[in-house]
Amino acid sequence: MPSIEIEGVYKIFGEEPERAFDLISEGYGKDEVREETGLVIGVQDISFDIQNNELFVIMGLSGSGKSTLLRCVNRLVDPTRGKIVLHADGNDYDITSADKESLREIREKQVSMVFQNFALFPHRTVVNNVAFGLEIQGVDKKERTRKAKELIEVVGLEGFGDSYPSQLSGGMQQRVGLARGLATGADILLMDEPFSALDPLIKVQMQDELLDLMEEMERTILFVTHDLDEALKLGDRITIMEAGQMVQKGSPEEIIVNPKTEYVADFVENADPSDVLRAETVATKDLHLTDNNRIRMNEVTEIEVDSNNKAVQGYISGTPVPIKSLVDYENLTEDAILSSSPDTPLSTIMRARLSFSSNPIVVLKNNEVIGYVTEQNILQGLLEKGRQD
């Protein structure tokens, strides 16, 4: 089960880096340490775990330490202190104590990296670029060519195997880089702002492609970006860094709804929350039963429930109607009240209400009514990021 443990990691740039730790323990910040010692704090006391098959995003502005931390994971940058352990192939690999030979084998087989600038070999064809890692592993030419062609098709470049990088667009070159990262079979994939140099439309396509690949292939991915919308779209969890420190970690929704610092609040101020906020978060949860055991969601819409708040029947203007999942709303031709799961994104609810019904949508968990979403809830979610007064 591929995963990553990062514990108490520091990276201090400069000679005699130990001089910085006394100042850090006294509460000195990054700028103060540099003024006193000339040393630069790249990463300061970072600890978190990345779970199996998780896409974990490190986000921050330039100079926040995000790329430095990523490079510590495969020791392209040596941590000054701390411990990093990779769990892959049923084994534990202590990156921080690995010797050169062990580290080389880890980089060849357990962890792979996709760079921002593609880093393709201009004199190699697409097939040979993708197969490079397999060639280093000693895989015979026939097998590595077969595997490379298979992954070229997976990333949507079928027919371009004999092309050279200079003959490809930026988006196509990044697909080659992604295929090369996947080709080695490494359980852990490190991605350092891989889409930041792409045009906006191609960037969105590559993000979608990465999410599709995550569903098809079991990989644990550590992804670095400075783009909040990208982080919210891709990340199962996100950590936000500032001046080498981790200032908040959580799910995309937790980051949006509950920013812990002013720095994070500024980040999320202009973010689009519609794909991040869930039905349960924005729903009205004050359920008031009428005398006939119904929950009144607005003037015309009611849900009849049993003694355990299990949904029994819907009503529109007093007329019985079925309760139908919004998953199937595009196929509905009859009057109905739409229901959603607690985890349904707000954007999905908005599309359903626009296309089928302007009535509130009931939120069901194991068929129990836990809330409902009205137009006011949607506006609250969009304007106030789901935060309740």
Side-chain angles (χ1 to χ4, degrees):
M1 305 288 280
S3 59
I4 305 172
E5 291 182 38
I6 298 174
E7 181 180 344
V9 169
Y10 289 79
K11 176 59 186 179
I12 311 296
F13 292 98
E15 296 183 3
E16 301 180 23
E18 294 295 329
R19 292 180 294 148
F21 288 106
D22 287 340
L23 298 179
I24 291 173
S25 66
E26 294 173 12
Y28 280 55
K30 181 177 181 177
D31 292 339
E32 295 168 308
V33 170
R34 187 178 68 249
E35 289 175 6
E36 289 285 332
T37 66
L39 300 170
V40 176
I41 301 174
V43 169
Q44 181 177 335
D45 196 19
I46 302 295
S47 299
F48 57 80
D49 296 341
I50 302 174
Q51 301 164 6
N52 173 52
N53 205 33
E54 181 177 28
L55 202 164
F56 190 98
V57 175
I58 304 173
M59 197 200 77
L61 299 178
S62 178
S64 63
K66 58 188 185 299
S67 291
T68 298
L69 179 59
L70 180 83
R71 283 166 165 75
C72 286
V73 174
N74 63 355
R75 283 259 309 273
L76 289 178
V77 170
D78 285 316
T80 307
R81 278 189 187 177
K83 187 175 183 179
I84 299 173
V85 179
L86 308 183
H87 305 281
D89 294 336
N91 297 304
D92 298 337
Y93 300 91
D94 187 340
I95 290 292
T96 41
S97 64
D99 58 29
K100 289 185 178 180
E101 181 62 24
S102 299
L103 192 57
R104 182 184 63 81
E105 292 182 3
I106 291 169
R107 289 171 179 167
E108 286 181 6
K109 298 178 181 179
Q110 274 70 48
V111 60
S112 187
M113 190 160 180
V114 179
F115 297 90
Q116 176 182 350
N117 62 356
F118 316 142
L120 303 180
F121 297 108
H123 60 285
R124 284 176 171 256
T125 64
V126 168
V127 166
N128 289 331
N129 264 287
V130 174
F132 177 73
L134 296 172
E135 183 179 340
I136 295 298
Q137 290 180 4
V139 177
D140 68 80
K141 184 175 182 179
K142 183 178 180 180
E143 174 59 19
R144 66 179 186 252
T145 300
R146 182 199 66 77
K147 182 67 173 178
K149 289 181 177 179
E150 178 183 296
L151 284 166
I152 286 169
E153 185 174 344
V154 166
V155 299
L157 287 178
E158 187 176 7
F160 290 91
D162 294 329
S163 301
Y164 288 88
S166 61
Q167 299 171 307
L168 306 179
S169 68
M172 295 168 76
Q173 290 183 48
Q174 191 56 278
R175 284 183 167 88
V176 177
L178 180 57
R180 182 177 61 187
L182 296 169
T184 62
D187 287 332
I188 295 169
L189 189 60
L190 308 180
M191 305 186 75
D192 189 9
E193 301 204 56
F195 308 144
S196 62
L198 302 178
D199 293 335
L201 182 59
I202 298 173
K203 182 176 184 176
V204 170
Q205 292 172 347
M206 288 300 301
Q207 291 167 353
D208 292 339
E209 189 162 320
L210 179 61
L211 291 174
D212 290 341
L213 286 170
M214 282 292 289
E215 292 185 4
E216 296 175 16
M217 299 181 176
E218 187 168 298
R219 291 289 191 278
T220 297
I221 297 179
L222 181 54
F223 189 104
V224 162
T225 182
H226 65 271
D227 184 336
L228 178 63
D229 287 330
E230 182 169 68
L232 296 174
K233 178 177 180 177
L234 296 179
D236 295 311
R237 287 187 299 155
I238 300 167
T239 187
I240 298 179
M241 294 187 64
E242 179 188 16
Q245 296 180 288
M246 183 172 68
V247 293
Q248 187 166 350
K249 180 184 63 167
S251 70
E253 186 179 47
E254 289 168 344
I255 298 291
I256 284 285
V257 173
N258 189 28
K260 298 292 187 183
T261 69
E262 185 176 348
Y263 178 78
V264 177
D266 289 342
F267 250 122
V268 304
E269 180 63 30
N270 296 312
D272 178 6
S274 61
D275 286 325
V276 176
L277 296 179
R278 303 174 303 123
E280 184 175 16
T281 301
V282 302
T284 295
K285 300 179 182 66
D286 294 330
L287 307 177
H288 301 294
L289 289 180
T290 64
D291 292 339
N292 52 3
N293 222 38
R294 296 178 186 177
I295 295 170
R296 193 168 187 83
M297 299 193 292
N298 66 10
E299 309 81 49
V300 299
T301 311
E302 295 176 301
I303 297 290
E304 183 180 350
V305 297
D306 63 18
S307 59
N308 296 314
N309 266 13
K310 298 282 187 178
V312 176
Q313 177 69 58
Y315 294 88
I316 297 177
S317 298
T319 303
V321 296
I323 301 171
K324 298 287 187 178
S325 170
L326 62 76
V327 173
D328 302 318
Y329 75 86
E330 293 179 343
N331 299 320
L332 291 177
T333 57
E334 59 184 332
D335 283 339
I337 291 176
L338 295 181
S339 69
S340 85
S341 71
D343 293 330
T344 301
L346 183 59
S347 58
T348 301
I349 290 175
M350 292 165 60
R351 285 191 291 269
R353 292 181 82 254
L354 180 65
S355 302
F356 178 75
S357 171
S358 61
N359 290 318
I361 290 178
V362 61
V363 183
L364 302 180
K365 185 174 183 179
N366 298 323
N367 208 42
E368 178 184 347
V369 180
I370 63 171
Y372 55 89
V373 179
T374 66
E375 185 177 73
Q376 181 177 352
N377 301 131
I378 293 173
L379 291 174
Q380 170 81 15
L382 293 176
L383 297 177
E384 302 297 334
K385 307 293 192 294
R387 298 163 203 159
Q388 303 297 321
D389 293 334

